[in-house]
Amino acid sequence: MSNKGKAGSLIDFRVAVETARDEIDTSILSLNPEWTGGSIEWFSPIKETGYEEYVDDTFWSGCLQPGAKSFWVGLQKPARFWPKGGPNWDGLAVLTKTDGKKVLLLFEAKAHSYELKSSCGAAYASSLSEIKGRIEQAFREARIDCENDPLKNYYQFSNRFAYISTLRKSIDACCIYLYFANDPYWDLSNDKTDVERWGRAIIHEHNYFGASSSQLRSSSIYELILDLKSESFRELRDSIIGKLTENMVL
């Protein structure tokens, strides 16, 4: 069941930021007591920049379009530290805490548990070696005893973990996984991902790396399940259904 670009997490996230921003912001701010009362400025995915994602050059410049405001304003940008072909972030925002300090928020959005699975696709041995070394170093620093290959099965997670761990040595940053439960597109199939299934899938991923929730939280990895059938997100679900109908996948 594939309608890439017309349904799933990409559409869910775009519609969420456009139509349910207050609810999304509230959910995000609740993840950390230090963020209470803060404000969030979104840079992606937003309509003004054509819902583009930050990657490589645009991430390090902080701008998706020439002349646009860089998200690095107010943050101390570190030197580029990752091989070319770094992460494509599904979303990016800057949180300003009540004391005026800023936190870079990087997002991965998922609408189905199968999206958790991936393997490293680096083409060059030198890049593979560097990435694996950074991942292993990040796990050691977090005291995570991973006995499985971090380049297979759940590679995206280990990649993002290492990226954030390195970034946090220079600035306050975190990675937030947004899991959309009861996505209306997947409700059409017999392969749905409800809240319970998401919970099992997340635990399985954590177990693969031998990581506890507290270790991940200490490493600024946050996970947020958004139940689209809950009262809080009923209107968001309706808006997503409207977009799926417009895209002719419902």
Side-chain angles (χ1 to χ4, degrees):
M1 188 175 187
S2 175
N3 273 292
K4 188 174 181 180
K6 295 183 178 182
S9 57
L10 183 147
I11 294 299
D12 292 350
F13 198 13
R14 289 179 180 180
V15 175
V17 173
E18 288 297 321
T19 69
R21 192 170 298 188
D22 288 346
E23 292 83 355
I24 296 296
D25 286 1
T26 297
S27 297
I28 291 168
L29 293 172
S30 69
L31 292 172
N32 189 330
E34 294 183 2
W35 298 349
T36 302
S39 60
I40 297 175
E41 180 179 9
W42 287 89
F43 289 84
S44 171
I46 56 175
K47 185 177 182 179
E48 290 81 355
T49 52
Y51 305 107
E52 289 184 60
E53 299 176 356
Y54 285 92
V55 61
D56 281 346
D57 292 341
T58 56
F59 178 80
W60 292 109
S61 71
C63 301
L64 288 170
Q65 298 176 350
K69 175 184 175 182
S70 171
F71 67 76
W72 289 112
V73 174
L75 290 164
Q76 187 174 348
K77 183 173 72 171
R80 188 166 182 160
F81 58 78
W82 202 262
K84 191 170 181 61
N88 279 56
W89 297 105
D90 292 335
L92 186 150
V94 175
L95 186 156
T96 302
K97 299 190 289 186
T98 54
D99 62 4
K101 294 180 180 179
K102 296 182 181 295
V103 184
L104 180 61
L105 309 180
L106 300 172
F107 294 88
E108 290 292 346
K110 311 292 181 189
H112 195 284
S113 58
Y114 83 86
E115 295 180 69
L116 298 179
K117 294 294 189 75
S118 65
S119 294
C120 182
Y124 299 102
S126 58
S127 294
L128 264 174
S129 178
E130 181 178 353
I131 291 170
K132 187 174 183 180
R134 288 187 178 276
I135 292 171
E136 291 174 343
Q137 179 182 347
F139 282 152
R140 284 195 301 270
E141 291 173 349
R143 298 185 178 181
I144 294 173
D145 186 17
C146 178
E147 297 181 354
N148 292 309
D149 188 344
L151 301 183
K152 296 180 179 179
N153 294 309
Y154 294 105
Y155 167 67
Q156 187 192 73
F157 186 89
S158 60
N159 173 287
R160 302 308 190 256
F161 185 91
Y163 199 98
I164 289 296
S165 295
T166 307
L167 188 59
R168 287 179 62 235
K169 293 177 180 179
S170 301
I171 64 170
D172 194 355
C174 70
C175 180
I176 301 175
Y177 281 85
L178 296 180
Y179 304 113
F180 291 93
N182 295 306
D183 167 77
Y185 174 70
W186 286 105
D187 272 359
L188 294 173
S189 72
N190 292 318
D191 194 24
K192 306 173 185 178
T193 300
D194 56 17
V195 173
E196 183 179 355
R197 183 170 174 181
W198 266 124
R200 293 195 304 269
I202 292 167
I203 289 172
H204 195 276
E205 179 185 62
H206 291 182
N207 289 343
Y208 180 85
F209 294 108
S212 68
S213 295
S214 60
Q215 285 174 314
L216 297 178
R217 184 64 64 92
S218 296
S219 300
S220 289
I221 303 294
Y222 296 87
E223 293 169 314
L224 182 60
I225 298 176
L226 303 177
D227 184 1
L228 295 178
K229 286 188 175 179
S230 68
E231 186 64 31
S232 298
F233 294 107
R234 177 181 296 177
E235 291 185 8
L236 171 57
R237 180 181 170 84
D238 290 343
S239 296
I240 291 171
I241 290 173
K243 188 64 177 178
L244 296 180
T245 302
E246 179 185 327
N247 290 344
M248 296 184 289
V249 296
L250 282 187

